[in-house]
Structure formats: C-alpha cells, structure tokens
Coordinates of all heavy atoms in Angstrom, one line a residue:
M1 N 22.4 -2.8 26.4 CA 21.5 -3.7 25.8 C 20.0 -3.4 26.1 O 19.1 -3.4 25.3 CB 21.9 -5.1 26.3 CG 21.0 -6.2 25.6 SD 21.7 -6.5 24.0 CE 21.1 -8.1 23.7
S2 N 19.8 -3.0 27.4 CA 18.3 -2.7 27.7 C 17.8 -1.5 27.0 O 16.7 -1.3 26.8 CB 18.2 -2.6 29.2 OG 19.0 -1.5 29.7
E3 N 18.8 -0.5 26.7 CA 18.4 0.7 26.0 C 18.0 0.4 24.6 O 17.0 0.9 24.1 CB 19.6 1.7 26.0 CG 20.0 2.2 27.3 CD 21.2 3.1 27.2 OE1 21.7 3.4 26.1 OE2 21.6 3.6 28.3
Q4 N 18.6 -0.6 24.0 CA 18.2 -1.1 22.6 C 16.8 -1.7 22.7 O 16.0 -1.5 21.8 CB 19.2 -2.0 22.0 CG 20.5 -1.3 21.7 CD 21.5 -2.4 21.3 OE1 21.3 -3.6 21.4 NE2 22.7 -2.0 20.8
V5 N 16.5 -2.5 23.8 CA 15.2 -3.1 23.8 C 14.1 -2.0 24.0 O 13.1 -2.1 23.4 CB 15.2 -4.1 25.0 CG1 13.8 -4.6 25.3 CG2 16.2 -5.2 24.7
V6 N 14.4 -1.1 24.8 CA 13.4 0.0 25.1 C 13.2 0.8 23.8 O 12.0 1.1 23.5 CB 13.9 1.0 26.2 CG1 13.1 2.2 26.3 CG2 13.9 0.2 27.6
A7 N 14.3 1.1 23.1 CA 14.1 1.8 21.7 C 13.3 1.0 20.8 O 12.4 1.5 20.0 CB 15.5 2.1 21.2
A8 N 13.5 -0.3 20.7 CA 12.8 -1.2 19.8 C 11.3 -1.2 20.2 O 10.4 -1.2 19.3 CB 13.4 -2.6 19.8
N9 N 11.0 -1.3 21.5 CA 9.6 -1.3 22.0 C 9.0 0.0 21.7 O 7.7 0.0 21.3 CB 9.6 -1.7 23.4 CG 9.9 -3.1 23.8 OD1 9.9 -4.0 22.9 ND2 10.3 -3.3 25.0
T10 N 9.6 1.1 21.8 CA 9.1 2.4 21.5 C 8.7 2.5 20.0 O 7.7 3.0 19.6 CB 10.1 3.5 21.8 OG1 10.4 3.4 23.2 CG2 9.4 4.8 21.6
V11 N 9.6 2.0 19.1 CA 9.4 2.0 17.7 C 8.2 1.2 17.3 O 7.4 1.5 16.5 CB 10.6 1.6 16.9 CG1 10.3 1.4 15.4 CG2 11.8 2.6 17.1
Q12 N 8.1 0.0 17.9 CA 7.0 -0.9 17.6 C 5.7 -0.3 18.1 O 4.7 -0.4 17.4 CB 7.2 -2.3 18.3 CG 8.2 -3.1 17.6 CD 8.5 -4.4 18.3 OE1 8.0 -4.7 19.5 NE2 9.3 -5.3 17.8
A13 N 5.6 0.3 19.3 CA 4.4 1.0 19.8 C 3.9 2.1 18.9 O 2.8 2.2 18.6 CB 4.7 1.5 21.2
T14 N 5.0 2.9 18.4 CA 4.6 4.0 17.4 C 4.1 3.4 16.1 O 3.1 4.0 15.6 CB 5.8 4.8 17.2 OG1 6.4 5.3 18.4 CG2 5.5 6.1 16.3
A15 N 4.7 2.4 15.7 CA 4.3 1.7 14.4 C 2.8 1.2 14.6 O 2.0 1.3 13.7 CB 5.2 0.7 14.0
G16 N 2.6 0.6 15.7 CA 1.3 0.0 16.0 C 0.2 1.1 16.1 O -0.9 0.9 15.6
R17 N 0.6 2.3 16.7 CA -0.4 3.4 16.7 C -0.7 3.9 15.4 O -1.8 4.2 15.1 CB 0.2 4.5 17.6 CG -0.6 4.7 18.8 CD 0.1 5.9 19.7 NE 0.6 5.2 20.8 CZ 1.8 5.5 21.3 NH1 2.7 6.3 20.7 NH2 2.3 4.8 22.4
S18 N 0.3 4.0 14.5 CA 0.1 4.6 13.2 C -0.8 3.6 12.3 O -1.6 4.1 11.6 CB 1.4 4.9 12.4 OG 2.1 3.7 12.1
V19 N -0.6 2.4 12.5 CA -1.4 1.4 11.8 C -2.9 1.4 12.3 O -3.8 1.4 11.5 CB -0.8 -0.1 12.0 CG1 -1.8 -1.1 11.5 CG2 0.5 -0.2 11.3
L20 N -3.0 1.6 13.6 CA -4.4 1.7 14.2 C -5.1 2.9 13.6 O -6.3 2.9 13.3 CB -4.3 1.6 15.6 CG -5.7 1.7 16.4 CD1 -6.5 0.5 16.1 CD2 -5.5 1.8 17.9
I21 N -4.4 4.1 13.7 CA -4.9 5.3 13.2 C -5.3 5.2 11.7 O -6.5 5.6 11.3 CB -4.0 6.5 13.4 CG1 -3.9 6.8 14.9 CG2 -4.4 7.7 12.6 CD1 -2.8 7.8 15.3
K22 N -4.5 4.6 10.9 CA -4.8 4.4 9.5 C -6.0 3.5 9.3 O -6.9 3.8 8.5 CB -3.6 3.8 8.7 CG -3.9 3.7 7.3 CD -2.6 3.2 6.5 CE -2.2 1.7 6.8 NZ -1.2 1.2 5.8
L23 N -6.1 2.4 10.1 CA -7.3 1.6 10.1 C -8.6 2.3 10.4 O -9.6 2.2 9.7 CB -7.1 0.3 10.9 CG -8.2 -0.7 11.0 CD1 -8.4 -1.3 9.6 CD2 -8.0 -1.7 12.0
I24 N -8.5 3.1 11.4 CA -9.7 3.8 11.8 C -10.1 4.8 10.7 O -11.3 5.0 10.4 CB -9.4 4.5 13.2 CG1 -9.4 3.5 14.3 CG2 -10.5 5.6 13.5 CD1 -8.9 4.1 15.7
L25 N -9.1 5.6 10.2 CA -9.5 6.5 9.2 C -10.1 5.9 7.9 O -11.1 6.3 7.4 CB -8.2 7.3 8.8 CG -7.7 8.3 9.8 CD1 -6.4 9.0 9.2 CD2 -8.8 9.4 10.0
F26 N -9.5 4.8 7.5 CA -10.1 4.1 6.3 C -11.4 3.4 6.7 O -12.3 3.4 5.8 CB -9.0 3.1 5.8 CG -8.1 3.6 4.9 CD1 -6.7 3.9 5.2 CD2 -8.4 3.9 3.6 CE1 -5.8 4.4 4.3 CE2 -7.5 4.4 2.7 CZ -6.2 4.7 3.0
S27 N -11.6 3.0 7.9 CA -12.9 2.4 8.2 C -14.0 3.5 8.2 O -15.1 3.3 7.6 CB -12.8 1.8 9.7 OG -11.9 0.7 9.6
L28 N -13.6 4.7 8.8 CA -14.6 5.8 8.7 C -14.9 6.2 7.3 O -16.0 6.5 6.9 CB -14.1 6.9 9.5 CG -14.1 6.8 11.0 CD1 -13.4 7.9 11.7 CD2 -15.5 6.6 11.5
S29 N -13.8 6.3 6.5 CA -13.9 6.6 5.1 C -14.8 5.6 4.3 O -15.7 6.0 3.5 CB -12.6 6.7 4.4 OG -11.9 7.7 4.9
L30 N -14.6 4.4 4.6 CA -15.4 3.3 3.9 C -16.9 3.4 4.3 O -17.8 3.0 3.6 CB -14.9 1.9 4.3 CG -15.4 0.7 3.5 CD1 -15.1 0.9 2.0 CD2 -14.7 -0.6 3.9
G31 N -17.2 3.9 5.5 CA -18.6 4.1 5.9 C -19.2 5.4 5.3 O -20.3 5.4 4.9
L32 N -18.4 6.4 5.4 CA -19.0 7.8 5.1 C -18.9 8.1 3.6 O -19.9 8.7 3.0 CB -18.2 8.9 5.9 CG -18.4 8.8 7.4 CD1 -17.5 9.8 8.0 CD2 -19.8 9.0 7.7
V33 N -17.9 7.7 2.9 CA -17.7 8.1 1.5 C -18.8 7.6 0.7 O -19.5 8.4 -0.2 CB -16.3 7.8 1.0 CG1 -16.2 8.0 -0.5 CG2 -15.3 8.7 1.7
P34 N -19.1 6.3 0.7 CA -20.2 5.8 -0.3 C -21.6 6.4 0.1 O -22.3 6.7 -0.8 CB -20.2 4.3 0.0 CG -18.8 4.0 0.6 CD -18.4 5.2 1.4
I35 N -21.9 6.6 1.4 CA -23.2 7.2 1.7 C -23.4 8.6 1.2 O -24.3 9.0 0.6 CB -23.4 7.1 3.2 CG1 -23.6 5.6 3.6 CG2 -24.7 7.9 3.7 CD1 -23.6 5.3 5.2
T36 N -22.3 9.3 1.4 CA -22.2 10.7 1.0 C -22.3 10.8 -0.5 O -23.0 11.6 -1.1 CB -20.9 11.4 1.6 OG1 -20.9 11.3 3.0 CG2 -20.9 12.9 1.1
S37 N -21.5 10.0 -1.2 CA -21.5 10.0 -2.6 C -22.9 9.6 -3.2 O -23.3 10.1 -4.2 CB -20.4 9.1 -3.2 OG -20.5 7.8 -2.9
F38 N -23.5 8.6 -2.5 CA -24.9 8.3 -3.0 C -25.8 9.4 -3.0 O -26.4 9.7 -4.0 CB -25.4 7.1 -2.2 CG -26.8 6.7 -2.4 CD1 -27.1 5.9 -3.5 CD2 -27.9 7.1 -1.7 CE1 -28.4 5.5 -3.8 CE2 -29.2 6.8 -2.0 CZ -29.5 6.0 -3.1
F39 N -26.0 10.0 -1.8 CA -27.0 11.0 -1.7 C -26.5 12.3 -2.5 O -27.4 13.0 -3.1 CB -27.2 11.4 -0.2 CG -28.0 10.4 0.5 CD1 -27.4 9.6 1.5 CD2 -29.3 10.1 0.1 CE1 -28.1 8.6 2.1 CE2 -30.0 9.1 0.7 CZ -29.4 8.3 1.7
A40 N -25.3 12.7 -2.5 CA -24.8 13.8 -3.3 C -25.1 13.6 -4.8 O -25.5 14.5 -5.5 CB -23.4 14.1 -3.0
S41 N -24.6 12.4 -5.3 CA -24.8 12.2 -6.7 C -26.3 12.0 -7.1 O -26.6 12.4 -8.1 CB -23.9 11.0 -7.1 OG -24.5 9.8 -6.6
Q42 N -27.1 11.4 -6.2 CA -28.5 11.3 -6.5 C -29.2 12.6 -6.7 O -30.0 12.9 -7.5 CB -29.2 10.5 -5.4 CG -30.7 10.2 -5.7 CD -31.3 9.4 -4.6 OE1 -30.8 9.4 -3.4 NE2 -32.3 8.8 -4.9
R43 N -28.8 13.6 -5.8 CA -29.4 14.9 -5.8 C -28.9 15.9 -6.9 O -29.5 16.5 -7.6 CB -29.3 15.6 -4.4 CG -29.9 16.8 -4.4 CD -30.0 17.4 -2.9 NE -30.8 18.6 -2.9 CZ -31.1 19.3 -1.8 NH1 -30.6 18.8 -0.7 NH2 -31.6 20.4 -1.8
Y44 N -27.5 15.9 -7.0 CA -26.9 16.9 -7.8 C -26.4 16.4 -9.1 O -26.2 17.2 -10.1 CB -25.7 17.6 -7.1 CG -26.0 18.2 -5.8 CD1 -25.7 17.8 -4.6 CD2 -26.9 19.4 -5.9 CE1 -26.0 18.4 -3.4 CE2 -27.2 20.0 -4.7 CZ -26.9 19.5 -3.5 OH -27.2 20.1 -2.3
M45 N -26.1 15.1 -9.3 CA -25.5 14.6 -10.5 C -26.5 13.8 -11.4 O -26.5 14.0 -12.6 CB -24.3 13.6 -10.1 CG -23.3 13.6 -11.1 SD -21.8 12.8 -10.3 CE -21.4 11.7 -11.5
W46 N -27.3 13.0 -10.7 CA -28.2 12.2 -11.5 C -29.7 12.5 -11.4 O -30.5 11.8 -11.9 CB -28.0 10.6 -11.1 CG -26.6 10.2 -11.2 CD1 -25.8 9.7 -10.1 CD2 -25.8 10.0 -12.4 NE1 -24.6 9.4 -10.5 CE2 -24.6 9.5 -11.9 CE3 -26.0 10.3 -13.7 CZ2 -23.5 9.3 -12.8 CZ3 -25.0 10.0 -14.5 CH2 -23.8 9.5 -14.1
N47 N -30.0 13.6 -10.8 CA -31.4 14.1 -10.8 C -32.4 13.1 -10.3 O -33.5 12.9 -10.9 CB -31.8 14.7 -12.2 CG -31.0 15.8 -12.6 OD1 -30.5 16.6 -11.8 ND2 -30.7 15.9 -13.9
G48 N -32.0 12.4 -9.2 CA -33.0 11.6 -8.5 C -32.9 10.1 -8.9 O -33.7 9.3 -8.4
N49 N -32.1 9.8 -9.9 CA -32.0 8.4 -10.4 C -31.1 7.6 -9.3 O -29.9 7.8 -9.3 CB -31.3 8.3 -11.7 CG -31.4 7.0 -12.3 OD1 -31.6 6.0 -11.6 ND2 -31.2 6.9 -13.7
S50 N -31.8 6.8 -8.5 CA -31.1 6.0 -7.5 C -30.2 4.9 -8.0 O -29.2 4.5 -7.3 CB -32.1 5.5 -6.5 OG -33.0 4.6 -7.1
T51 N -30.4 4.4 -9.2 CA -29.6 3.4 -9.8 C -28.2 3.8 -10.1 O -27.2 3.3 -9.6 CB -30.2 2.8 -11.1 OG1 -31.6 2.3 -10.7 CG2 -29.4 1.5 -11.6
Y52 N -28.1 5.0 -10.7 CA -26.9 5.6 -11.0 C -26.1 6.0 -9.7 O -24.9 6.0 -9.7 CB -27.0 6.7 -12.0 CG -27.4 6.3 -13.4 CD1 -28.2 7.1 -14.2 CD2 -26.9 5.1 -14.0 CE1 -28.6 6.7 -15.5 CE2 -27.3 4.7 -15.3 CZ -28.1 5.5 -16.0 OH -28.4 5.1 -17.2
A53 N -26.9 6.5 -8.8 CA -26.3 6.9 -7.5 C -25.8 5.8 -6.7 O -24.7 5.9 -6.1 CB -27.4 7.7 -6.7
A54 N -26.4 4.6 -6.8 CA -25.9 3.5 -6.2 C -24.6 2.9 -6.9 O -23.6 2.6 -6.2 CB -26.9 2.3 -6.2
I55 N -24.5 3.0 -8.1 CA -23.3 2.6 -8.9 C -22.2 3.6 -8.5 O -21.1 3.2 -8.3 CB -23.6 2.7 -10.4 CG1 -24.5 1.5 -10.8 CG2 -22.2 2.6 -11.2 CD1 -25.0 1.6 -12.2
T56 N -22.5 4.9 -8.3 CA -21.5 5.9 -7.8 C -21.0 5.5 -6.5 O -19.8 5.5 -6.2 CB -22.1 7.3 -7.9 OG1 -22.6 7.5 -9.2 CG2 -21.1 8.3 -7.5
A57 N -21.9 5.1 -5.6 CA -21.5 4.7 -4.2 C -20.7 3.5 -4.2 O -19.6 3.4 -3.5 CB -22.8 4.5 -3.4
V58 N -20.9 2.5 -5.0 CA -20.1 1.3 -5.1 C -18.8 1.6 -5.6 O -17.8 1.1 -5.2 CB -20.9 0.2 -6.0 CG1 -20.0 -0.9 -6.4 CG2 -22.1 -0.3 -5.4
V59 N -18.6 2.4 -6.7 CA -17.4 2.8 -7.2 C -16.5 3.5 -6.2 O -15.4 3.2 -6.0 CB -17.6 3.6 -8.5 CG1 -16.2 4.3 -8.9 CG2 -18.1 2.8 -9.6
S60 N -17.2 4.4 -5.4 CA -16.4 5.2 -4.4 C -15.9 4.3 -3.3 O -14.8 4.4 -2.8 CB -17.3 6.3 -3.8 OG -18.3 5.8 -3.1
A61 N -16.7 3.3 -2.9 CA -16.4 2.3 -1.9 C -15.1 1.5 -2.4 O -14.2 1.2 -1.6 CB -17.5 1.4 -1.5
N62 N -15.2 1.1 -3.6 CA -14.0 0.4 -4.2 C -12.8 1.2 -4.3 O -11.7 0.7 -4.1 CB -14.4 -0.2 -5.6 CG -15.3 -1.4 -5.5 OD1 -15.1 -2.3 -4.6 ND2 -16.3 -1.4 -6.4
I63 N -12.9 2.4 -4.5 CA -11.7 3.3 -4.6 C -11.1 3.5 -3.1 O -9.9 3.4 -3.0 CB -12.2 4.7 -5.1 CG1 -12.4 4.7 -6.6 CG2 -11.1 5.8 -4.8 CD1 -13.1 6.0 -7.1
V64 N -12.0 3.5 -2.1 CA -11.5 3.5 -0.7 C -10.7 2.3 -0.4 O -9.6 2.2 0.2 CB -12.6 3.9 0.2 CG1 -12.1 3.7 1.7 CG2 -13.2 5.2 0.1
L65 N -11.3 1.1 -0.8 CA -10.7 -0.2 -0.5 C -9.3 -0.3 -1.2 O -8.3 -0.8 -0.7 CB -11.6 -1.3 -1.0 CG -12.8 -1.6 0.0 CD1 -13.7 -2.6 -0.6 CD2 -12.2 -2.0 1.4
V66 N -9.3 0.1 -2.5 CA -8.1 0.0 -3.3 C -7.0 0.9 -2.7 O -5.8 0.6 -2.6 CB -8.2 0.3 -4.7 CG1 -7.0 0.5 -5.5 CG2 -9.1 -0.8 -5.4
A67 N -7.4 2.1 -2.2 CA -6.5 3.0 -1.5 C -5.9 2.4 -0.3 O -4.7 2.6 0.0 CB -7.1 4.4 -1.3
Y68 N -6.7 1.8 0.5 CA -6.3 1.1 1.7 C -5.3 0.0 1.4 O -4.2 -0.2 2.0 CB -7.4 0.6 2.5 CG -7.0 -0.2 3.8 CD1 -6.4 0.6 4.8 CD2 -7.0 -1.5 3.9 CE1 -6.0 -0.1 5.9 CE2 -6.6 -2.2 5.0 CZ -6.1 -1.5 6.0 OH -5.7 -2.1 7.1
I69 N -5.6 -0.8 0.4 CA -4.6 -1.9 0.0 C -3.3 -1.4 -0.5 O -2.3 -1.9 -0.1 CB -5.4 -2.8 -1.1 CG1 -6.5 -3.6 -0.4 CG2 -4.4 -3.8 -1.7 CD1 -7.4 -4.2 -1.5
I70 N -3.4 -0.3 -1.3 CA -2.1 0.2 -1.8 C -1.3 0.7 -0.7 O -0.1 0.6 -0.6 CB -2.4 1.2 -2.9 CG1 -2.9 0.5 -4.2 CG2 -1.2 2.1 -3.3 CD1 -3.5 1.4 -5.2
S71 N -1.9 1.5 0.2 CA -1.2 2.1 1.3 C -0.6 1.1 2.2 O 0.5 1.2 2.8 CB -2.0 3.1 2.1 OG -3.0 2.4 2.8
S72 N -1.3 -0.1 2.4 CA -0.8 -1.1 3.2 C 0.4 -1.8 2.6 O 1.4 -2.1 3.3 CB -1.9 -2.2 3.6 OG -2.9 -1.5 4.3
V73 N 0.3 -2.0 1.3 CA 1.4 -2.7 0.6 C 2.6 -1.8 0.6 O 3.8 -2.3 0.9 CB 1.0 -3.1 -0.8 CG1 2.2 -3.5 -1.7 CG2 0.0 -4.1 -0.8
L74 N 2.5 -0.5 0.4 CA 3.5 0.4 0.4 C 4.2 0.5 1.8 O 5.4 0.6 1.9 CB 3.2 1.8 -0.1 CG 2.8 1.9 -1.6 CD1 2.3 3.3 -1.9 CD2 4.0 1.5 -2.4
E75 N 3.3 0.5 2.8 CA 3.9 0.6 4.2 C 4.7 -0.8 4.5 O 5.7 -0.7 5.2 CB 2.7 0.7 5.2 CG 3.2 0.8 6.6 CD 2.1 0.9 7.6 OE1 0.9 0.9 7.2 OE2 2.3 0.8 8.8
D76 N 4.2 -1.9 4.0 CA 4.8 -3.2 4.3 C 6.2 -3.2 3.5 O 7.2 -3.7 4.1 CB 4.0 -4.3 3.8 CG 4.5 -5.7 4.3 OD1 5.0 -5.7 5.4 OD2 4.4 -6.6 3.5
K77 N 6.2 -2.7 2.3 CA 7.5 -2.6 1.6 C 8.5 -1.7 2.3 O 9.7 -2.0 2.4 CB 7.3 -2.2 0.2 CG 6.7 -3.2 -0.7 CD 6.6 -2.6 -2.1 CE 6.0 -3.6 -3.1 NZ 5.9 -3.1 -4.4
G78 N 8.0 -0.6 2.9 CA 8.9 0.3 3.6 C 9.4 -0.4 4.8 O 10.6 -0.2 5.2
D79 N 8.6 -1.2 5.6 CA 9.1 -1.8 6.8 C 10.0 -3.0 6.4 O 11.1 -3.1 7.1 CB 7.9 -2.5 7.5 CG 7.0 -1.5 8.1 OD1 7.4 -0.3 8.3 OD2 5.8 -1.8 8.5
T80 N 9.8 -3.6 5.3 CA 10.8 -4.7 4.9 C 12.1 -4.1 4.5 O 13.2 -4.6 4.8 CB 10.2 -5.4 3.6 OG1 8.9 -5.9 4.0 CG2 11.1 -6.6 3.3
S81 N 12.1 -3.0 3.7 CA 13.4 -2.3 3.3 C 14.2 -1.8 4.6 O 15.4 -1.9 4.6 CB 13.2 -1.3 2.3 OG 12.5 -0.2 2.8
E82 N 13.4 -1.3 5.5 CA 14.0 -0.8 6.7 C 14.6 -1.9 7.6 O 15.8 -1.8 8.1 CB 13.0 -0.1 7.6 CG 13.5 0.6 8.8 CD 12.5 1.4 9.5 OE1 11.7 2.1 8.8 OE2 12.4 1.3 10.8
T83 N 13.9 -3.1 7.6 CA 14.5 -4.2 8.3 C 15.7 -4.7 7.6 O 16.7 -5.1 8.3 CB 13.4 -5.3 8.3 OG1 12.2 -4.8 9.0 CG2 13.9 -6.4 9.2
M84 N 15.7 -4.8 6.3 CA 16.8 -5.2 5.5 C 18.0 -4.3 5.8 O 19.1 -4.7 5.9 CB 16.6 -5.3 4.0 CG 15.5 -6.4 3.7 SD 16.2 -8.0 3.7 CE 17.1 -8.0 2.2
R85 N 17.8 -3.0 5.8 CA 18.8 -2.0 6.0 C 19.5 -2.2 7.4 O 20.7 -2.1 7.6 CB 18.3 -0.6 5.8 CG 19.3 0.4 5.6 CD 18.8 1.8 5.2 NE 17.4 1.6 4.6 CZ 16.4 2.5 4.9 NH1 16.5 3.4 5.9 NH2 15.2 2.3 4.3
K86 N 18.6 -2.4 8.3 CA 19.1 -2.5 9.7 C 19.9 -3.8 9.9 O 20.9 -3.8 10.6 CB 17.9 -2.6 10.8 CG 17.3 -1.2 11.0 CD 16.3 -1.2 12.0 CE 15.6 0.1 12.3 NZ 14.5 0.0 13.3
S87 N 19.5 -4.9 9.2 CA 20.2 -6.1 9.4 C 21.6 -6.0 8.7 O 22.6 -6.6 9.1 CB 19.4 -7.3 8.8 OG 19.3 -7.1 7.4
T88 N 21.6 -5.4 7.6 CA 23.0 -5.2 6.9 C 23.9 -4.3 7.7 O 25.0 -4.6 7.8 CB 22.8 -4.6 5.5 OG1 22.1 -3.4 5.5 CG2 22.1 -5.5 4.6
M89 N 23.3 -3.3 8.4 CA 24.2 -2.4 9.3 C 24.6 -3.3 10.5 O 25.8 -3.1 10.9 CB 23.3 -1.2 9.7 CG 23.1 -0.2 8.6 SD 22.2 1.2 9.2 CE 23.3 1.9 10.2
D90 N 23.8 -4.1 11.0 CA 24.2 -4.9 12.1 C 25.3 -5.9 11.7 O 26.2 -6.1 12.5 CB 23.0 -5.7 12.7 CG 22.1 -4.8 13.5 OD1 22.5 -3.7 13.9 OD2 20.9 -5.2 13.7
T91 N 25.2 -6.5 10.5 CA 26.2 -7.4 10.0 C 27.5 -6.7 9.9 O 28.6 -7.2 10.1 CB 25.8 -8.0 8.7 OG1 24.4 -8.6 8.8 CG2 26.7 -9.0 8.2
K92 N 27.5 -5.5 9.3 CA 28.8 -4.6 9.2 C 29.4 -4.3 10.5 O 30.5 -4.3 10.6 CB 28.4 -3.4 8.3 CG 28.1 -3.7 6.9 CD 27.8 -2.3 6.2 CE 27.5 -2.7 4.7 NZ 27.2 -1.4 4.0
K93 N 28.5 -4.0 11.5 CA 29.1 -3.7 12.8 C 29.8 -4.9 13.4 O 30.7 -4.8 14.1 CB 27.9 -3.3 13.7 CG 27.5 -1.8 13.4 CD 26.4 -1.5 14.4 CE 25.8 -0.1 14.1 NZ 24.8 0.3 15.0
Q94 N 29.2 -6.1 13.2 CA 29.8 -7.3 13.8 C 31.1 -7.7 13.1 O 32.0 -8.3 13.7 CB 28.8 -8.5 13.7 CG 27.6 -8.4 14.6 CD 26.6 -9.5 14.3 OE1 26.8 -10.3 13.5 NE2 25.6 -9.4 15.1
Q95 N 31.3 -7.3 11.9 CA 32.6 -7.6 11.2 C 33.6 -6.7 11.6 O 34.6 -6.5 11.9 CB 32.4 -7.5 9.7 CG 31.5 -8.5 9.1 CD 31.2 -8.4 7.7 OE1 31.6 -7.4 7.0 NE2 30.5 -9.3 7.0

C-alpha cells in the first residue's frame, strides 16, 4: 500500500513540475513575443508606423494567450481521461 502512495506522490510531483515549467515558458513568451514583434514589425514590416506595430504586438499577445488556454484545456482533458481509465481498471480489479 505504501508503494502505491509513493508512486502517486511521484506522479503528482512530476505533473506539478510540468505545469510550472509550462507556466514559466508561457509567461516569458507573453512578455517577450509582443515586445519583439512590436519592434521587429515597426522596423521591418511597417516602416516606422508604430500604430500598426502596436496592433501586431496585441495580436501576437493574444495568440500566446490562446495557445496557453488550448494547451491547458488539452492537458486537463488528458488528465481526466487518464483518471477515468485508472478508476475503471481499479473497478475491474476489485471484481
């Protein structure tokens, strides 16, 4: 029984680490991608027009946010299906 508890704690710690890494990566992306896209598009794409460059930065920030939301939802669905699979296996073992 204690081996199962240790295994469950290890899985939870690994899952917590991966969530933290994903959060840090998306946080850095949310800070760096819009700033980079603003200055790059202002210089190379819009020839100094800061209004269009700002719009480009806003769109890129929204893309990063949507990507984070989608990855979180997909991860949550994966966790839910894995939990359901484990519970059905446990039920079958008990029978």
